[in-house]
Amino acid sequence: MALSSPVPNSPALRGRFRTRAQDIARWTAAGLRAARGRHWSLTAGAVVLALVLATLALTPWIAPYDPAQQDLTHRLAGPGAEHWLGTDQLGRDVLSRLMYGGRFSVSIAAITLVLCVVVGTVVGAVSARRGGIVDEIVMRTTDLLISIPDVIVALFLIAAFGTGYGMLIAALTIVGWTPFARLMRGLALEINRREYVEAAEALGCSRSFIVFRHVIPNAARPVLSLSFLRFGHKLITVGGLSYLGLGVQPPDSDWGAMLLDAQPYMERVPLLVLVPGAAVFLTALSVTLIGHGMELKRKKSSDVG
């Protein structure tokens, strides 16, 4: 019996197979050309961030232990076959706590960043569009908030109104929208002078239509680049507040709380401090590299244009 060929014998099927192979080859070549055109920081940051997000997303299925499970007979144990990163002062698996804690840290930073982008973008665009006293009030408010460190304002709000996820996100949003508002205002002032905006005004379009249809979409790329650059700042701020005891509250934990718990034992078991610290550093660095690469690509495109 003759062996069957892996390529279909029908001319129509062979043609379809050949067309599909050519499409795959063309898409692969296009992807390689695009990868060569990207800055190395964009590629490196995307790879690291993808690994971090995939690990955090799969944590409930791949974490070796319950992060709250205690084993006092194996307190402060070093790395081994049972506990790859050792255990903490209560015998809890460090790797499991790192993975579950990362879900809190990254999710809170991401939610806060999205709210800051939305609020800052809308406020900046509306401020530039309306001008006058509205623009003056918005700019003076941003100047005031920018002049005060974010952590100080967040500490005051959390101390005054209490701790918790909602309060933490609200405090970081109140102090974090200003950079996006200033960037959006500058971009909107330039966009408002373009011909398609003047044409929309001549047609009688409302201010809100012009803002959401023309101004914000045409300023999306710079705002997106700034968002990636600011994510690391948000992640570190979340960790800092948790380290001060004003972030995630027990029995939950995040990377900042892990640093706080490990501080008394850092000389005896340095790994307890190094592991969450490295997690914060690598995650913040990966997103910052993506933002840096996007900004360089945008500037390069502007120079070519």
Side-chain angles (χ1 to χ4, degrees), residues 147-228:
S147 65
I148 305 174
D150 291 2
V151 176
I152 301 298
V153 180
L155 283 173
F156 171 77
L157 293 173
I158 293 175
F161 299 102
T163 58
Y165 297 116
M167 194 62 238
L168 178 61
I169 292 173
L172 293 177
T173 302
I174 290 172
V175 301
W177 62 270
T178 52
F180 300 98
R182 293 186 69 89
L183 174 63
M184 189 66 213
R185 176 182 178 271
L187 295 171
L189 290 175
E190 178 186 354
I191 295 172
N192 286 335
R193 295 192 294 266
R194 295 182 180 176
E195 295 180 354
Y196 54 84
V197 175
E198 295 177 353
E201 292 175 344
L203 291 173
C205 296
S206 63
R207 289 179 176 177
S208 59
F209 177 84
I210 294 174
V211 167
F212 291 100
R213 177 63 179 83
H214 295 293
V215 177
I216 292 179
N218 285 283
R221 290 185 62 182
V223 172
L224 184 61
S225 298
L226 179 62
S227 301
F228 278 97

Side-chain angles (χ1 to χ4, degrees), residues 15-296:
R16 188 180 303 174
F17 179 83
R18 188 180 302 109
T19 301
R20 179 60 61 182
Q22 290 173 352
D23 290 341
I24 295 174
R26 185 168 61 254
W27 296 336
T28 303
L32 292 175
R33 287 195 299 270
R36 287 198 297 268
R38 294 190 182 98
H39 193 267
W40 67 267
S41 62
L42 182 60
T43 303
V47 171
V48 175
L49 181 61
L51 292 175
V52 171
L53 294 181
T55 301
L56 297 182
L58 297 174
T59 291
W61 296 275
I62 64 176
Y65 296 93
D66 184 336
Q69 179 181 343
Q70 300 182 13
D71 184 5
L72 297 180
T73 60
H74 293 86
R75 296 175 61 251
L76 302 176
E82 293 186 3
H83 303 281
W84 290 3
L85 295 179
T87 60
D88 64 3
Q89 70 279 6
L90 297 177
R92 297 172 295 189
D93 183 66
V94 173
L95 177 59
S96 300
R97 295 195 71 213
L98 183 74
M99 296 168 70
Y100 277 96
R103 291 167 66 91
F104 286 108
S105 296
V106 174
S107 61
I108 291 174
I111 293 171
T112 302
L113 183 64
V114 170
L115 293 176
C116 290
V117 171
V118 172
V119 173
T121 299
V122 173
V123 169
V126 172
S127 174
R129 190 67 197 166
R130 295 188 63 88
I133 187 63
V134 174
D135 184 46
E136 187 68 20
I137 292 175
V138 170
M139 287 300 100
R140 298 295 75 80
T141 302
T142 58
D143 291 340
L144 176 63
L145 292 176
I146 288 177
S147 65
I148 305 174
D150 291 2
V151 176
I152 301 298
V153 180
L155 283 173
F156 171 77
L157 293 173
I158 293 175
F161 299 102
T163 58
Y165 297 116
M167 194 62 238
L168 178 61
I169 292 173
L172 293 177
T173 302
I174 290 172
V175 301
W177 62 270
T178 52
F180 300 98
R182 293 186 69 89
L183 174 63
M184 189 66 213
R185 176 182 178 271
L187 295 171
L189 290 175
E190 178 186 354
I191 295 172
N192 286 335
R193 295 192 294 266
R194 295 182 180 176
E195 295 180 354
Y196 54 84
V197 175
E198 295 177 353
E201 292 175 344
L203 291 173
C205 296
S206 63
R207 289 179 176 177
S208 59
F209 177 84
I210 294 174
V211 167
F212 291 100
R213 177 63 179 83
H214 295 293
V215 177
I216 292 179
N218 285 283
R221 290 185 62 182
V223 172
L224 184 61
S225 298
L226 179 62
S227 301
F228 278 97
L229 292 172
R230 295 289 297 180
F231 178 83
H233 179 267
K234 292 297 179 188
L235 184 63
I236 293 173
T237 304
V238 171
L241 292 174
S242 295
Y243 179 79
L244 295 175
L246 299 175
V248 175
Q249 300 299 309
D252 297 327
S253 180
D254 67 352
W255 290 337
M258 290 181 66
L259 288 170
L260 175 63
D261 294 339
Q263 184 177 357
Y265 311 96
M266 60 184 303
E267 294 185 1
R268 180 178 174 184
V269 188
L271 196 63
L272 292 179
V273 175
L274 294 177
V275 167
V280 173
F281 172 76
L282 288 177
T283 306
L285 178 63
S286 66
V287 183
T288 302
L289 287 176
I290 293 175
H292 179 65
M294 292 178 63
E295 184 66 16
L296 291 177

Side-chain angles (χ1 to χ4, degrees), residues 5-19:
S5 173
V7 179
N9 293 324
S10 170
L13 292 178
R14 284 202 302 268
R16 188 180 303 174
F17 179 83
R18 188 180 302 109
T19 301

